[in-house]
Amino acid sequence: MQISISKTNTIWPRLTGATRAAIALGFIVLVSACAKNPNDVDLDPERQAMALQEVSKKRARGQRVWCVPYARNLSGIEIRGNAKDWWGKAHNIFQRGNEPVVGAVMSFRATRGMPLGHVAVVSSIVTDREVIVNHANWHRNKVSLKMGVKDISKNNDWTLVRVESQPGQYGSLYPVNGFIYPKAAE
């Protein structure tokens, strides 16, 4: 007794080449959307809304908008005091490092032009040498969203950066301590 198995495909042969290509492309798009890079994390939209709402309340009361309360509200990193002190205060409380991560606070060192230092929250990673930040009071009493920051440090360690002051225009050199990472949700 001989068994003959023939493979027949009733749907695929009936489709035109263009239709097959469209189906294959759709499948690839679907799979790649599901396989999102773990570094493609977004800031918490509720936290963003709350941080901006706090800024609006301060302005309504005639108060100045500062980088520290904005960064604290946006990142959830509960540190108080001047921005120049955040790096030291984070020691043994929050993890710190020199690799940008979405939601981390970039801690700028104090300089002659920024004697109180500065803090900004990483909102997205562009490349290993460029990030986008949200921060307050870079421009006096304003919140700046989606501003580029480029690592120009000699050792690619984020110790020296240029910050986008206007779209596509990067300003002076600024020394950076590193990044303070928010605690993982428990």
Side-chain angles (χ1 to χ4, degrees):
M1 177 178 198
Q2 196 175 29
I3 300 176
S4 173
I5 300 175
S6 64
K7 184 178 176 184
T8 59
N9 190 335
T10 58
I11 297 173
W12 200 244
R14 294 183 199 164
L15 301 176
T16 66
T19 305
R20 287 184 207 166
I23 291 171
L25 181 61
F27 181 73
I28 290 168
V29 168
L30 178 65
V31 169
S32 64
C34 294
K36 193 172 184 183
N37 183 333
N39 292 331
D40 293 343
V41 179
D42 292 326
L43 285 175
D44 179 349
E46 289 179 24
R47 192 167 277 290
Q48 288 184 77
M50 185 266 298
L52 291 172
Q53 184 177 26
E54 289 299 314
V55 166
S56 294
K57 287 179 184 176
K58 285 182 183 291
R59 284 191 179 145
R61 293 189 300 257
Q63 296 176 330
R64 178 104 179 249
V65 176
W66 293 98
C67 64
V68 165
Y70 179 77
R72 184 175 43 246
N73 288 333
L74 185 55
S75 69
I77 295 176
E78 287 293 328
I79 297 178
R80 307 236 174 234
N82 292 326
K84 69 179 182 176
D85 301 324
W86 272 44
W87 188 252
K89 287 184 175 188
H91 182 67
N92 291 330
I93 300 171
F94 295 93
Q95 288 189 356
R96 305 178 306 173
N98 65 350
E99 185 176 326
V101 173
V102 171
V105 171
M106 179 184 281
S107 169
F108 290 75
R109 295 176 185 256
T111 64
R112 183 178 292 149
M114 285 188 322
L116 299 177
H118 186 70
V119 287
V121 179
V122 177
S123 60
S124 66
I125 311 289
V126 179
T127 68
D128 62 337
R129 305 246 5 228
E130 185 175 359
V131 297
I132 304 297
V133 298
N134 293 352
H135 53 160
N137 207 36
W138 190 257
H139 297 291
R140 187 175 176 87
N141 208 29
K142 294 182 180 178
V143 171
S144 300
L145 302 175
K146 298 182 180 180
M147 289 181 69
V149 178
K150 291 184 179 181
D151 172 25
I152 57 162
S153 61
K154 184 177 169 182
N155 296 322
N156 302 333
D157 60 4
W158 288 92
T159 55
L160 193 63
V161 301
R162 286 190 189 272
V163 179
E164 191 175 34
S165 53
Q166 299 295 328
Q169 297 177 355
Y170 288 80
S172 302
L173 307 176
Y174 293 96
V176 171
N177 293 306
F179 299 92
I180 304 169
Y181 306 114
K183 292 182 179 177
E186 296 175 15

